[in-house]
């Protein structure tokens, strides 16, 4: 708790210092002037202070005033403050922490604001100069050589170590802040990516539902209009199928919109809740074939290998791909028949949808008629780890081939790249 409070107060002090830099520097300089003046008045017992008050005052003032530029010129501040301190010691003033206060402050800011090489060069040079001045100073004759050497070294090493610790702490805080900003930016990008993927999934689902049923309804209405006079009985049957097509479209559209409104926090079994229709799968393939046949397209389905259970996602993907392929045949190809082949091989399901028509190439289609059928089918296949190819056949007609795993491919672990 005490460490947390200490860091909090230290952070507040640094923020205040950054906002009012000149004011803080001025207060520091005045305080150092007082310390240096007090240190210059101290003497050992039985000795007289040197008669150089005016010179000492000038040296002290210069050593302190130069610290006003320590933020932009830390090296100059160390050189000037160190030179003035050495000159004061040479005049016979006693070496005390108060007298060394200006050069100690300069060394602290040097270690905080510069790199290690600069700190080492200027710091060692200043330390050696001040120590030699203390060793040969006449005011220190009554003190042993060991104390005259250790004292200045200790007091000047202290600000160098403190300044380097401050520099390391600031670098650590900057790295923590950078990591936090990166994590926040990554979360925002991941959220945008998930929203985009969800929007694309909804768009594919609505496209498959609306495009398929509307295409069938259009084809059934056209066939009924063509046979209205010549074959009333067949017309009546087609109109009955048209009613089923539109009803199925409304049910699937309602189910899709119900999923959008569905909330995990709501109890689906509570009063007023609506049971959602299960997602379609290959089990509804006969219903899809019957709907296409009522629109005038003969569809045959063959199965190779032993049918095996599919995961719900792969089952839905397989159905939607077959549905979209047959829808494209109804809309774009002058075909009378289509063939759907399901082949269970190993751990994959191969689906092939072919027709015998002459589909209009996309490059020749009118600008407003280009849709997203093939793009949507390919995206669906890739979403479960499968592959899809679509294009005209050499012998005529169009072919859609997809290979889907019986179980969807596992998603990459969080924090790894696929």
């Amino acid at each position: 708790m005490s460490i947390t409070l200490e860091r909090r107060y230290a952070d507040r002090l640094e923020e205040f210092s950054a906002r009012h830099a000149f004011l803080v520097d001025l207060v520091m300089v005045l305080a150092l002037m007082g310390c240096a003046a007090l240190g210059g008045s101290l003497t050992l017992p039985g000795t007289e202070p040197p008669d150089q008050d005016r010179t000492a005052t000038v040296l002290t003032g210069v050593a302190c005033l130069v610290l006003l530029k320590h933020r932009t010129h830390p090296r100059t501040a160390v050189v000037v403050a160190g030179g003035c301190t050495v000159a004061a010691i040479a005049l016979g003033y006693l070496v005390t922490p108060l007298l060394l206060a200006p050069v100690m402050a300069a060394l602290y800011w040097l270690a905080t604001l510069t790199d290690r090489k600069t700190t080492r060069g200027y710091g060692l040079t200043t330390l050696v100069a001040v120590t030699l001045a203390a060793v040969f100073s006449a005011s220190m004759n009554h003190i042993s050589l060991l104390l005259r050497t250790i004292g200045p070294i200790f007091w000047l090493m202290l600000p160098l170590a403190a300044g380097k610790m401050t520099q390391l702490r600031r670098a650590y805080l900057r790295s923590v802040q950078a990591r936090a900003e990166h994590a926040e930016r990554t979360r925002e990008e991941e959220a945008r990516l998930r929203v985009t993927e969800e929007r694309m999934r909804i768009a594919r689902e609505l496209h498959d539902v609306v495009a398929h049923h509307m295409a069938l309804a259009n084809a059934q209405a056209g066939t009924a209009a063509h046979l209205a006079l010549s074959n009333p009985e067949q017309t009546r049957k087609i109109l009955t199928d048209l009613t089923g097509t539109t009803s199925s479209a409304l049910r699937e559209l309602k189910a899709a919109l119900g999923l959008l409104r569905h909330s995990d926090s709501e109890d689906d079994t509570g009063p007023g809740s609506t049971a959602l229709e299960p997602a379609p799968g290959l089990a509804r393939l006969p219903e899809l074939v019957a709907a296409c046949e009522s629109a005038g397209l003969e569809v045959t389905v063959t199965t190779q290998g032993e049918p095996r259970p599919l995961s719900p996602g792969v089952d839905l993907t397989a159905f939607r791909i077959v549905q979209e392929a047959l829808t494209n045949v109804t809309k774009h190809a002058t075909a009378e028949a289509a063939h759907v082949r399901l082949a269970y091989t190993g751990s994959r399901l191969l689906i092939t949808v072919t027709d015998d028509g002459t589909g209009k190439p996309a490059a020749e289609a009118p600008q407003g008629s280009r849709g997203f059928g093939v793009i949507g089918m390919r995206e669906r296949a890739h979403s479960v780890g499968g592959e899809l190819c679509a294009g005209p056949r050499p012998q005529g007609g169009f072919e859609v081939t997809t290979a889907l795993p019986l179980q969807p491919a596992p998603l990459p672990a969080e924090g790894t790249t696929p």
Side-chain angles (χ1 to χ4, degrees), residues 158 210 266 329 379:
L158 191 62
V210 175
E266 296 176 354
V329 174
E379 290 176 349

Side-chain angles (χ1 to χ4, degrees), residues 35-40 60 85 88-89 93-103:
C35 292
L38 180 60
T60 300
T85 303
I89 296 173
Y93 287 92
L94 184 64
V95 181
T96 63
L98 295 176
L99 185 68
L100 296 177
V103 69

Side-chain angles (χ1 to χ4, degrees), residues 16-38:
F16 179 82
S17 176
R19 289 196 303 265
H20 308 281
F22 181 77
L23 178 60
V24 173
D25 293 345
L26 184 60
V27 172
M28 179 192 67
V29 167
L30 294 177
L32 291 175
M33 282 185 177
C35 292
L38 180 60

Side-chain angles (χ1 to χ4, degrees), residues 283-360:
R284 291 180 54 180
L285 200 56
E287 178 184 338
L288 176 63
V289 171
C292 292
E293 288 179 347
S294 67
L297 178 66
E298 181 182 353
V299 181
T300 57
V301 179
T302 59
T303 302
Q304 296 180 356
E306 183 180 356
R308 275 169 284 175
L310 305 175
S311 67
V314 175
D315 198 15
L316 173 63
T317 299
F319 178 80
R320 290 302 189 196
I321 288 177
V322 174
Q323 182 187 60
E324 181 61 27
L326 294 178
T327 301
N328 288 341
V329 174
T330 305
K331 290 195 301 183
H332 303 301
T334 56
E336 296 180 355
H339 180 66
V340 178
R341 183 170 66 91
L342 307 178
Y344 293 86
T345 59
S347 61
R348 301 178 78 82
L349 169 63
L350 303 180
I351 302 176
T352 305
V353 181
T354 58
D355 65 77
D356 59 358
T358 55
K360 183 179 295 185

Side-chain angles (χ1 to χ4, degrees), residues 75-219:
R75 300 172 183 82
T76 303
V78 169
V79 172
V80 175
C84 293
T85 303
V86 169
I89 296 173
L91 291 176
Y93 287 92
L94 184 64
V95 181
T96 63
L98 295 176
L99 185 68
L100 296 177
V103 69
M104 289 173 64
L107 289 174
Y108 171 80
W109 288 112
L110 177 75
T112 303
L113 300 174
T114 60
D115 57 87
R116 180 174 298 180
K117 183 178 180 180
T118 302
T119 301
R120 188 177 300 169
Y122 282 83
L124 290 178
T125 302
T126 303
L127 189 146
V128 170
V130 173
T131 303
L132 291 177
V135 169
F136 294 104
S137 174
S139 64
M140 306 288 286
N141 289 336
H142 301 286
I143 303 176
S144 65
L145 180 62
L146 181 62
L147 293 178
R148 279 184 281 174
T149 304
I150 293 179
I153 292 177
F154 172 78
W155 289 112
L156 295 182
M157 286 294 294
L158 191 62
L160 288 174
K164 193 52 64 178
M165 290 180 61
T166 301
Q167 186 183 58
L168 293 176
R169 178 177 176 274
R170 290 178 178 177
Y172 170 74
L173 292 178
R174 285 194 297 268
S175 66
V176 170
Q177 184 179 3
R179 286 198 299 269
E181 292 176 354
H182 176 71
E184 183 66 24
R185 190 165 53 251
T186 303
R187 281 195 296 269
E188 293 177 356
E189 292 175 356
E190 183 179 355
R192 285 196 297 270
L193 179 61
R194 288 181 177 178
V195 170
T196 301
E197 291 177 349
E198 184 66 12
R199 188 168 60 244
M200 294 297 296
R201 187 189 69 82
I202 295 172
R204 286 197 303 266
E205 194 68 21
L206 292 178
H207 172 271
D208 290 344
V209 171
V210 175
H212 168 69
H213 290 93
M214 292 302 101
L216 285 181
N218 180 68

Side-chain angles (χ1 to χ4, degrees), residues 399-417:
E399 180 178 81
V400 176
T401 304
T402 181
L404 303 178
L406 298 182
Q407 299 295 328
L411 296 175
E414 185 176 355
T416 62
T417 55

